[in-house]
Amino acid sequence: MKGCIMSGNFIRKYTEEERVKIVEEALTCGSNSLVAAKYNIYSGLVSNWKCNYRRYKQT
C-alpha cells in the first residue's frame, strides 16, 4: 500500500499533508536519507513521494 509503513503488526498511514511536509523537508535539506531517518521511514518511500510531488504536485 502506498504511503504505509509496516512496523511489526502496525501499519502507519500518512495523510497527504504529512507526506507533503516530509517531501518539502527533503527538498529543502537535499537528503532523503536524513529525513527518512528522522521520521523512521524508508528513504525509497521518500524518493517515491518526491517523484510524485514533482510530477503531479501531490504525493
Side-chain angles (χ1 to χ4, degrees), residues 41-54:
I41 59 177
Y42 296 110
S43 61
L45 186 61
V46 176
S47 180
N48 289 343
W49 291 348
K50 278 175 60 175
C51 182
N52 288 336
Y53 183 78
R54 287 178 176 150

Side-chain angles (χ1 to χ4, degrees), residues 9-47:
N9 293 330
F10 177 73
I11 297 177
R12 168 72 166 101
K13 294 185 179 182
Y14 290 87
T15 65
E16 178 69 17
E17 293 79 20
E18 290 171 320
R19 292 189 305 259
V20 168
K21 178 185 173 210
I22 292 168
V23 165
E24 289 176 345
E25 190 172 334
L27 290 171
T28 300
C29 81
S31 173
N32 293 352
S33 298
L34 289 176
V35 174
K38 177 180 176 181
Y39 292 99
N40 196 28
I41 59 177
Y42 296 110
S43 61
L45 186 61
V46 176
S47 180

